Amino acid sequence: MSAPAMPLALTRTRRLLPRLAALAFLAGIGYLVIAPLVGLQRLAFEDGARGYEAAFDRPEVAQTLRTTVGLALGSLAIALVLGTLLAWAATRLPPRLRLLRALPILPIVVPAVAAVTGWAFLFSPAPAT
């Protein structure tokens, strides 16, 4: 004898629950990202966009924008070349070294403060006690 069939409403609920949970998570993350940006823009546009006026009236704004664009394009070119080479090298790894594929992700996983502290201890002239 087969098990009794689940009611249709319960089956739909079980299918929709993970989607609703993911939607709620995305809504929460969206709020945490967008709310501060809206607050910053509100402050910048106060008093007739006084914040933007003060920033763009400075004489060195053109040099700042050129430097920013240069750094962005330079880092894009470096990341494109090195990322492509790293991806190619990861595909060429032998099966016993497949774990090394996670190596490029480690800088994202390790917090920056911990990385700086680690390098400071590593290059410290005195031995740690």
Side-chain angles (χ1 to χ4, degrees), residues 105-124:
I105 300 171
L106 285 181
I108 299 169
V109 176
V110 177
V113 174
V116 168
T117 305
W119 283 108
F121 279 120
L122 183 65
F123 291 118
S124 174

Side-chain angles (χ1 to χ4, degrees), residues 48-93:
R50 184 177 44 94
Y52 283 112
E53 184 179 325
F56 287 109
D57 278 349
R58 300 179 68 107
E60 63 271 0
V61 73
Q63 179 60 34
T64 302
L65 291 175
R66 278 194 298 274
T67 303
T68 302
V69 169
L71 287 172
L73 292 175
S75 63
L76 173 71
I78 291 170
L80 184 67
V81 171
L82 291 181
T84 302
L85 290 175
L86 196 56
W88 176 78
T91 62
R92 307 294 297 167
L93 285 172

